[in-house]
């Protein structure tokens, strides 16, 4: 009911496609069941969390085309939090650290490099598009380094990877994104407000 109500709301604003940007296995199962019943009124593409819902990435809905308005587009990996929550992983300390943190607090990463490289390599081997949530410039450094290492291990595969959010992307990171073929999907609104 919640998914269908959400899609109705999207439709009110003229959207014809919705994305589930970090889907759980349960969300994927619900979407697939509604698709099979013909209940989805618009296209819905899901990107299951590669850490917690990797098993949901495969199957008949992993496709570039929709079945009953549903498809799995690939996988999602989250490397840090958010600037507004002061959990984005930065190279410079926050101007005002959160209560209880020292003045040198820079947020934090949530995936060790070895695991991130493994996730990226898995995506490349399986030809899954991978979307990476990285807000802080240090998390973006991690994306660039770890995806680069995975690409060396699994060369010649283009999965159209995406940097999601990139709210503190540094100018000196842009050329590396381009060299790795990573599309930056920017989200500056939180930074601005």
């Amino acid at each position: 009911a919640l998914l269908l109500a959400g899609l109705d709301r999207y439709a009110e604003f003229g959207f014809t496609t919705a994305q589930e940007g970090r889907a759980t296995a349960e969300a994927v199962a619900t979407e697939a069941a509604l698709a099979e019943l013909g209940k989805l009124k618009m296209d819905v593409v899901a990107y299951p969390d590669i850490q917690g819902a990797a098993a949901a990435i495969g199957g008949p809905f992993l496709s570039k085309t929709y079945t009953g308005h549903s498809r799995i587009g690939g996988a999602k990996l989250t490397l840090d939090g958010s600037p507004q929550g002061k959990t984005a992983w930065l190279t410079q300390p926050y101007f005002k650290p959160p209560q209880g943190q020292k003045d040198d607090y820079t947020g934090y990463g949530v995936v060790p490099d070895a695991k991130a490289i493994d996730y990226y390599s898995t995506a490349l081997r399986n030809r899954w598009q991978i979307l990476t949530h990285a807000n802080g410039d240090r998390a973006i450094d991690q994306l660039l380094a770890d995806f680069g290492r995975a690409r060396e291990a699994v060369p010649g595969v283009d999965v159209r990877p995406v940097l999601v959010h990139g709210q503190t992307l540094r100018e000196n990171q842009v050329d590396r994104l381009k060299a790795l073929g990573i599309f930056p999907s920017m989200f500056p609104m939180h930074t601005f407000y």
Side-chain angles (χ1 to χ4, degrees):
L2 184 61
L3 175 58
L4 294 176
L7 294 179
D8 285 342
R9 190 76 171 136
Y10 273 73
E12 288 176 17
F13 288 95
F15 290 99
T16 59
T17 302
Q19 181 192 82
E20 174 62 61
R22 187 178 174 211
T24 63
E26 296 81 6
V28 170
T30 299
E31 184 181 315
L34 290 170
E36 289 173 1
L37 292 171
K39 299 277 187 177
L40 297 178
K41 298 176 184 176
M42 70 174 60
D43 292 340
V44 181
V45 57
Y47 289 87
D49 180 1
I50 197 167
Q51 296 180 86
I57 299 169
F61 286 95
L62 178 61
S63 174
K64 292 185 180 192
T65 59
Y66 292 89
T67 300
H69 289 290
S70 177
R71 76 180 185 95
I72 294 171
K76 176 81 174 269
L77 177 62
T78 300
L79 295 180
D80 70 348
S82 66
Q84 68 275 18
K86 296 195 177 182
T87 53
W89 193 15
L90 306 174
T91 54
Q92 298 294 316
Y94 280 85
F95 178 69
K96 290 185 179 182
Q99 186 174 7
Q101 297 294 337
K102 296 179 180 176
D103 287 343
D104 64 350
Y105 174 79
T106 58
Y108 49 88
V110 296
V111 180
D113 288 323
K115 286 300 283 180
I117 294 166
D118 183 52
Y119 292 135
Y120 290 131
S121 297
T122 298
L124 289 167
R125 278 193 304 276
N126 288 289
R127 298 185 179 279
W128 298 338
Q129 182 179 36
I130 184 127
L131 281 56
T132 302
H133 168 115
N135 274 304
D137 63 331
R138 177 59 190 95
I140 298 167
D141 283 337
Q142 182 184 22
L143 159 64
L144 296 171
D146 294 351
F147 185 80
R149 287 187 188 101
R151 224 172 105 192
E152 289 170 5
V154 186
V157 178
D158 180 13
V159 294
R160 295 184 52 89
V162 178
L163 161 62
V164 178
H165 305 317
Q167 292 186 55
T168 62
L169 177 69
R170 298 187 315 262
E171 187 175 352
N172 67 357
Q173 294 171 317
V174 174
D175 287 342
R176 183 81 172 125
L177 283 174
K178 185 176 180 181
L180 289 170
I182 299 172
F183 179 82
S185 176
M186 307 305 292
F187 185 41
M189 298 297 285
H190 281 152
T191 306
F192 176 81
Y193 287 107

